[in-house]
Amino acid sequence: MATESLSRLLFPSNYSADMKVLYFAAARDITQVASDDIDLSSESWSLHSLTDHLVAKYGDALRKVLDHAMYAVNMEYVDKDNESSTQLCPTDEVAIIPPVSGG
């Protein structure tokens, strides 16, 4: 009985292994959605593998944007040099922020 209670505390019925991806500016224009939920329950993901997944889903036009975009994981920017080594967790929120110009 104690093990059942512990399991319910650690993994409540509403537990989700989905990571939230937020799209801004050109990334939102290409995907036509403000966000996606990506299931991370079956494998380990890095920002690099997330990029590959999103390009497979939305096409090469998104890759062109992602090549110049910044990622923020849980509201912390990730250096371009660290994208392939940054590991993602199901509770993470990843924002894709393309460069913007203004005047």
Side-chain angles (χ1 to χ4, degrees), residues 2-58:
T3 304
E4 260 181 57
S5 298
L6 181 60
S7 292
R8 272 186 264 142
L9 285 173
L10 293 175
F11 303 105
S13 60
N14 63 347
Y15 173 78
S16 172
D18 289 350
M19 172 188 59
K20 175 76 73 183
V21 179
L22 306 174
Y23 303 105
F24 295 94
R28 181 181 275 184
D29 293 342
I30 291 167
T31 63
Q32 297 293 298
V33 295
S35 66
D36 269 329
D37 293 323
I38 309 290
D39 180 11
L40 297 186
S41 63
S42 62
E43 57 190 85
S44 166
W45 287 61
S46 67
L47 280 177
H48 181 74
S49 57
L50 174 63
T51 299
D52 290 344
H53 172 81
L54 295 175
V55 169
K57 184 173 181 176
Y58 293 110

Side-chain angles (χ1 to χ4, degrees), residues 55-102:
V55 169
K57 184 173 181 176
Y58 293 110
D60 284 331
L62 185 60
R63 179 175 298 283
K64 292 175 185 171
V65 170
L66 296 177
D67 285 345
H68 301 285
M70 291 293 297
Y71 286 102
V73 178
N74 301 324
M75 296 193 287
E76 298 273 338
Y77 282 107
V78 176
D79 289 329
K80 280 291 200 193
D81 295 338
N82 295 333
E83 286 179 6
S84 61
S85 63
T86 299
Q87 294 299 305
L88 301 172
C89 299
T91 57
D92 286 342
E93 179 181 80
V94 178
I96 299 173
I97 307 165
V100 294
S101 62

